[in-house]
């Protein structure tokens, strides 16, 4: 499999091609549904995440870039994690 470079993953994040998890909320949402006034990224890492995190054991994992940061939503600052698929689509 061919992986995206970190720069390509950043471009995918900016294009809203990601899944977003907001701390304190259950589940995740598509990147284009996350409406924030501003945001900043604090860390980036390449990681395997389970396809079914609600299950105790998983056999299938996805390789993703994990972007962690903070966003201003209305008057609140919220912590969020964005997941960008790391595998290039052929």
């Amino acid at each position: 499999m061919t992986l995206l470079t970190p720069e390509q993953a950043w471009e995918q994040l900016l294009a809203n091609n990601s899944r977003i998890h907001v701390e304190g909320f259950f589940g995740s949402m598509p990147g284009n549904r996350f409406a924030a006034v501003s945001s900043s990224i604090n860390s980036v890492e390449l990681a395997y995440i389970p396809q079914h995190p609600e299950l105790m054991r998983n056999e299938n994992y996805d390789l993703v870039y994990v972007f962690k940061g903070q966003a201003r939503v209305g008057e609140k600052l919220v912590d969020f994690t964005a997941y960008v698929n790391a595998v290039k689509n052929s």
Side-chain angles (χ1 to χ4, degrees):
M1 83 180 89
T2 305
L3 300 181
L4 296 175
T5 66
E7 293 79 13
Q8 291 169 323
W10 177 252
E11 291 299 322
Q12 292 295 310
L13 180 66
L14 294 178
N16 291 324
N17 294 328
S18 64
R19 299 283 312 161
I20 305 287
H21 174 78
V22 178
E23 295 299 320
F25 292 96
F26 179 76
S28 62
M29 68 184 89
N32 62 357
R33 299 288 310 255
F34 184 56
V37 175
S38 64
S39 63
S40 62
I41 300 296
N42 303 324
S43 68
V44 180
E45 62 185 13
L46 186 60
Y48 280 106
I49 60 167
Q51 288 182 355
H52 299 284
E54 70 279 4
L55 301 177
M56 186 73 91
R57 294 182 183 199
N58 281 267
E59 292 183 14
N60 299 308
Y61 289 80
D62 293 320
L63 185 58
V64 297
Y65 282 97
V66 180
F67 294 87
K68 292 186 179 194
Q70 281 193 325
R72 180 166 301 284
V73 179
E75 296 296 317
K76 292 175 59 175
L77 273 180
V78 295
D79 293 325
F80 73 93
T81 305
Y83 302 97
V84 174
N85 187 6
V87 179
K88 272 189 183 178
N89 295 330
S90 15

